[in-house]
Amino acid sequence: MLMLNCDSSGLSYYRHSSGSLSYNSSLPTQHRLPGPCTCPDGSTILKDHIPQDQYEELMQRRAKEFQTNSILSKLLFALPNSPLQYPIQGVIVRPLTATAIPGMSSSIYASVTNVLTKLTIESSTLLVLNDLLAKVSYTSTIYHINSGDLGMCQKCEENLMLLCGITSNPSFKTIISVYFCLLDISSQVTIVTKTFVRYKQLRVLLDSIRKFYSNIKVIIADDSLEPESVTGENIQHYIMPPAQGWFAGRNLAVSQVTTKYFLWVDDDFLFSEETKIEKLVEVMEAVPELDMVGGSVQGNQNRLHFSILYEEGDENEGGCLYRMSGGKFHSLPSYPQCHLASGVVNFFLARTDAMQRVRFDPKLQRVAHSEFFVDGLGSLMVASCGDVTIDHQPKIDKNSNPTYHKFRNPGRNDGEFRLQLHFFKNYLKCIRYG
């Protein structure tokens, strides 16, 4: 619990394990009031990729799309009829990021000392005190995307003491390790993939799946130019219009999943003895807040996951985003081999309903992976577990298909469209991939 005590000696803040209050007289960038964000070095400035003759009209449409009328987004304050004014609704904080608390002011006597986790603020004048209160910030200490703190205040002894507490919903329930054996994994998981003119690789994948999971259902979305027949027990093969792209195929395949979870694999992956779907299901069942758990693809041990760092900007320009390869947050309770992250590689177990809620943007045909996690930022809880591994089929000349590479490798127009989509849909000023 975060406690704010006000008495004749001043204001004191106490921290709780799920968050902390702090004071800094010279605020770093992330503490400042809303304004233009700072683009990381090497960022792409997205407005530079918008045609000049479309820019003004696009800015107007983007601003209109970005507006929200939710009553919960309105900033409300507890007015200072008690000694302290403070916000009670509408302050949005990002995980592990210090956020300025707007509107805090007081009409009581209070000085500033900082002793470990206790913060005492005192001042001989109301003007200085209000300036100090404006520099108090809140920082969560546990990564979570769907938690909240509730502020409460009670006045005691007429203008001498104000007792305030902020209680937080626990970010994680207590996790008890439960090791279990699923008699039939196919009742909970469907394997999903997308293919395009790579039937040799697809059939190798299917054979490897059947070696370890003989009954599990496999759903294939196929937008090949000249589709071939792919049959077998518990195989559903969906033919799409030609060359619709990766995300359109993912949407089609996931839309046909009837199990609680689906396992996404690329059509040139290869199951091995280390491809234990049960381990991923165990983590998802033990931590119900999770929407997705990624594994490791052999040969990409240093690229299991990435973090997305977002800094909110002003309403006109938009925010600044940095995708950091290899970035992660803290480990999951009871699962030290698993870490929370913003995104994972193309081998993951996901909750079907969560993926259908965010969905894969079919406008992205060839340049698409991180973009899904940008869309899901703040909505999807993602983890990465390095102890569950899938192999990658060898890349040899006889597997090479000129038609595949023609469509797989994006052209300049694909890259430009992706940047324009980030500018409009994600309301970004700049983006950096690192």
Side-chain angles (χ1 to χ4, degrees), residues 58-122:
L58 191 65
M59 284 290 288
Q60 294 177 11
R61 287 198 295 118
R62 187 178 79 146
K64 185 176 181 180
E65 291 282 344
F66 189 67
Q67 290 176 353
T68 175
N69 295 319
S70 172
I71 188 66
L72 296 179
S73 65
K74 185 177 181 180
L75 192 60
L76 298 179
F77 296 96
L79 297 177
N81 53 350
S82 63
L84 182 68
Q85 174 179 294
Y86 57 94
I88 58 176
Q89 175 185 287
V91 180
I92 299 174
V93 300
R94 297 188 299 280
L96 308 180
T97 303
T99 304
I101 302 177
M104 290 189 68
S105 63
S106 176
S107 58
I108 62 176
Y109 173 86
S111 50
V112 177
T113 59
N114 196 349
V115 182
L116 298 178
T117 59
K118 178 180 178 180
L119 179 64
T120 302
I121 300 178
E122 296 179 2

Side-chain angles (χ1 to χ4, degrees), residues 60-284:
Q60 294 177 11
R61 287 198 295 118
R62 187 178 79 146
K64 185 176 181 180
E65 291 282 344
F66 189 67
Q67 290 176 353
T68 175
N69 295 319
S70 172
I71 188 66
L72 296 179
S73 65
K74 185 177 181 180
L75 192 60
L76 298 179
F77 296 96
L79 297 177
N81 53 350
S82 63
L84 182 68
Q85 174 179 294
Y86 57 94
I88 58 176
Q89 175 185 287
V91 180
I92 299 174
V93 300
R94 297 188 299 280
L96 308 180
T97 303
T99 304
I101 302 177
M104 290 189 68
S105 63
S106 176
S107 58
I108 62 176
Y109 173 86
S111 50
V112 177
T113 59
N114 196 349
V115 182
L116 298 178
T117 59
K118 178 180 178 180
L119 179 64
T120 302
I121 300 178
E122 296 179 2
S123 174
S124 58
T125 69
L126 180 61
L127 181 64
V128 173
L129 177 60
N130 283 331
D131 181 65
L132 298 177
L133 286 170
K135 296 179 173 64
V136 175
S137 66
Y138 172 89
T139 305
S140 68
T141 57
I142 295 179
Y143 180 83
H144 204 279
I145 62 172
N146 191 24
S147 185
D149 282 343
L150 176 64
M152 300 170 292
C153 282
Q154 181 178 358
K155 179 180 175 183
C156 303
E157 300 180 11
E158 188 59 27
N159 293 329
L160 292 179
M161 182 193 303
L162 181 69
L163 179 63
C164 299
I166 301 180
T167 59
S168 176
N169 295 326
S171 292
F172 292 103
K173 297 177 181 177
T174 301
I175 302 301
I176 301 176
S177 296
V178 179
Y179 296 93
F180 57 90
C181 177
L182 290 175
L183 297 178
D184 185 12
I185 190 69
S186 62
S187 65
Q188 288 192 297
V189 180
T190 300
I191 296 176
V192 176
T193 191
K194 154 77 171 59
T195 195
F196 176 74
V197 301
R198 294 207 298 190
Y199 292 106
K200 290 182 180 179
Q201 291 91 332
L202 176 62
R203 291 188 173 98
V204 171
L205 168 67
L206 293 175
D207 288 342
S208 72
I209 292 173
R210 288 295 174 244
K211 181 177 179 181
F212 298 98
Y213 297 96
S214 58
N215 296 320
I216 198 166
K217 181 187 292 185
V218 181
I219 295 178
I220 305 163
D222 184 353
D223 63 344
S224 299
L225 304 180
E226 298 179 0
E228 298 180 11
S229 176
V230 180
T231 59
E233 189 174 357
N234 287 325
I235 291 179
Q236 295 180 357
H237 183 205
Y238 292 90
I239 306 297
M240 304 169 58
Q244 291 300 297
W246 195 13
F247 271 16
R250 274 192 177 181
N251 281 332
L252 171 59
V254 173
S255 72
Q256 300 305 306
V257 174
T258 58
T259 51
K260 182 177 182 179
Y261 304 110
F262 70 85
L263 183 79
W264 176 268
V265 297
D266 284 353
D267 60 358
D268 60 349
F269 284 173
L270 191 68
F271 273 58
S272 71
E273 293 181 353
E274 301 301 320
T275 312
K276 299 293 187 182
I277 304 176
E278 293 84 355
K279 287 186 177 181
L280 299 178
V281 173
E282 177 187 336
V283 174
M284 294 284 279

